[in-house]
Structure formats: structure tokens, C-alpha cells
Amino acid sequence: MIVCYAQGGGLGHLTRIRAYLHTRGPAGGPVAILTGSPFAGDPRVVAGHRVLSAPAGLDRDGLTHWIGGTLARLRPREFVVDAFPAGLSGELSAAAVPAGTRVVHLSRLLRWDAYLPLLAADSLRFAETLLVEPVGGAHRAYLDSVSSAVVPLTLADPPEPAPAVPVAPGGWLIVHSGPAAEVAELVAYALDVAAIEGARPEFTLLSPSRPDVLPPGIAHHDVYPAWPLFAGAERIVTAAGCNAVRQLARWPERHRMLPFPRRFDDQYARAARARAATGA
């Protein structure tokens, strides 16, 4: 069994786990995903894998105890930790992992100074840390110190048919899973970019929920995954999340991104890096 730890409220953690399982392959064994994400109830997202969520209201110590008990019961051969090497609130430590379990870390950009205080004294030791995007400085030094190997990994999403959503030739997509205030800001940004570029496209918002207020002429659809529609769009407007930037790396000329502040994710550094890479 493979147990994947994807703690976080957004959709990105689960999307990255899906891509990891497809890229590396689950070797025919069952997969369990430990997550508190509200998107874990969507069968399109979890792809039939078993989902386990901690009881509501646990503090950090309670969550650590629940994780340890769950892993002891499941006895996974591999434990995959997404994004946060010590968990979202510092709840992961070496003591929680059964002996003989291979521990893998999927690493992405973090605001390392903000995250550093959460590291435990008995940090997880990783058989392998897989960099889904480059990290540097003190973050990389830490990963080197707790990992037997640190290597890049190019993720590939599982093949999916394009959703039955009409995207007009020359149409623009606005893609974001929330929260609602950010969806509204991204819609406004897309309208501003179109005005600056002198374009009058048809807009389609791809988001789990329709905003309470949506400007006239913008269609809304709840589809997952969104990336199969990217090839047919003139522009794709997103935040600067890890998955969106990864999925749109082949079309930098189409991608317009607006970074948002996060507690630990560094969308501003990611956007700046993507901008420098393309010379935009």
C-alpha cells in the first residue's frame, strides 16, 4: 500500500498526488490519501482512491497521534508527503512512521522563513525528495540534510478526455478553485488584461462554484481537470499555483497569471521565475 499525505485546504495538493501516482505508478497496490481537503469528496479528484480524514477539532498533538495510529494500522510500504516536509502545522515526525516504511517527499516552493519554525526535532527522514520545481537556499539545504537523495521530477497528469465544455475559437479561460474572493479578483484581472491587449474574447470561468456575482458574458462551468481544455484556448488566466504553472509551461505565450498571498506557498517567486524564464 501507498499512503499519501496531502494536508491542506486547496485542490492543488490532491492534483499533485494524482500526477505523482500516474508518473511513478502505484505498482498495482492500493492507495490511501490522508487529507482534510474539502475536494477529497469529489470522485473526479480522488480517482477512486481511499480517502481518510482526521476527526474534526484535533490540535497538532492530536493530529500527530491520529497519523501515527493510522500508519500503524495501514502499514504502508511507501509514505508520500506532499509539499510540507513536517506537515501543514508541524504534525509529522519520524516517530509517527512505522519502521521499514519508505518515506518520499514531493517538494515545491515554500516561504521557508515562515515555515521553518514548524520543523520537529525528530524530523522525517526521506529516502527520496522529489523536486517538482526548483527550490533553493536554506530550503534546499534542509532537504539535502534529511534526504538520502534529492532529484527533480517532471510530473505528468493522467490522460483525461477534454470536458464537454464549449470554448469558442479565440476564447479565454479563467481557472481557479477558490476562495470566492480570489475567483472574483481573477475575473477582474482577466477583463483588465483583455482590455490592455485590445481583445474582446468570449470568457469561460472554470471553477467548482459559480460566484454570486459574475459579469455578463462570462460562462461558468464546474469541470475537473481543467488542463485538457488549455490547448484550445487563446489565453488561460490563473493564479500562480504550482500545478497551473507546471501544466501551462508548454504555452507560456497564452498564460496570464496573478499570484496570491499564501501562508507558506510562494506564488510571487514562482510567477517571477516563470516570467524570467520566458522573458515576458
Side-chain angles (χ1 to χ4, degrees):
M1 168 174 275
I2 297 175
V3 173
C4 302
Y5 191 70
Q7 191 69 350
L11 184 56
H13 298 281
L14 295 174
T15 295
R16 193 162 37 251
I17 288 295
R18 277 171 48 95
Y20 169 79
L21 293 171
H22 173 69
T23 303
R24 297 292 293 260
V31 173
I33 302 174
L34 308 188
T35 181
S37 171
F39 297 102
D42 189 333
R44 300 173 300 177
V45 177
V46 297
H49 298 309
R50 183 181 181 187
V51 174
L52 298 173
S53 298
L58 293 181
D59 61 12
R60 187 177 69 177
D61 291 342
L63 184 55
T64 299
H65 180 74
W66 178 83
I67 294 166
T70 301
L71 293 178
R73 176 167 50 87
L74 296 177
R75 303 295 300 182
R77 65 176 177 84
E78 183 171 280
F79 182 46
V80 181
V81 178
D82 180 61
F84 309 116
L88 182 59
S89 58
E91 69 275 15
L92 294 180
S93 66
V97 181
T101 302
R102 185 174 187 271
V103 186
V104 175
H105 178 41
L106 295 182
S107 181
R108 62 155 170 79
L109 275 173
L110 291 177
R111 296 176 54 236
W112 190 247
D113 288 348
Y115 187 76
L116 184 61
L118 298 182
L119 298 178
D122 60 335
S123 299
L124 286 176
R125 306 291 300 187
F126 301 109
E128 196 174 27
T129 287
L130 305 171
L131 302 176
V132 301
E133 60 185 352
V135 303
H139 185 184
R140 175 58 190 260
Y142 174 79
L143 296 177
D144 287 335
S145 73
V146 297
S147 308
S148 297
V150 179
V151 295
L153 175 67
T154 300
L155 291 174
D157 296 288
E160 300 274 0
V165 172
V167 179
W172 287 31
L173 297 177
I174 307 165
V175 185
H176 198 43
S177 62
E182 291 184 359
V183 173
E185 190 169 349
L186 208 58
V187 168
Y189 172 69
L191 294 172
D192 287 346
V193 171
I196 291 169
E197 295 188 9
R200 298 175 61 87
E202 293 187 25
F203 291 98
T204 301
L205 170 65
L206 305 180
S207 184
S209 300
R210 180 183 177 87
D212 292 336
V213 178
L214 192 62
I218 299 181
H220 168 260
H221 296 277
D222 173 13
V223 301
Y224 181 88
W227 66 263
L229 293 171
F230 292 169
E234 181 72 20
R235 295 280 187 274
I236 305 99
V237 181
T238 74
C242 178
N243 291 304
V245 173
R246 169 179 63 82
Q247 291 167 340
L248 283 159
R250 63 187 294 190
W251 296 300
E253 73 285 355
R254 303 183 190 184
H255 192 194
R256 302 292 182 268
M257 69 185 81
L258 178 65
F260 289 106
R262 293 288 183 265
R263 182 184 177 194
F264 296 130
D265 187 20
D266 198 339
Q267 292 201 5
Y268 295 96
R270 184 177 297 115
R273 178 186 291 171
R275 181 179 181 181
T278 61

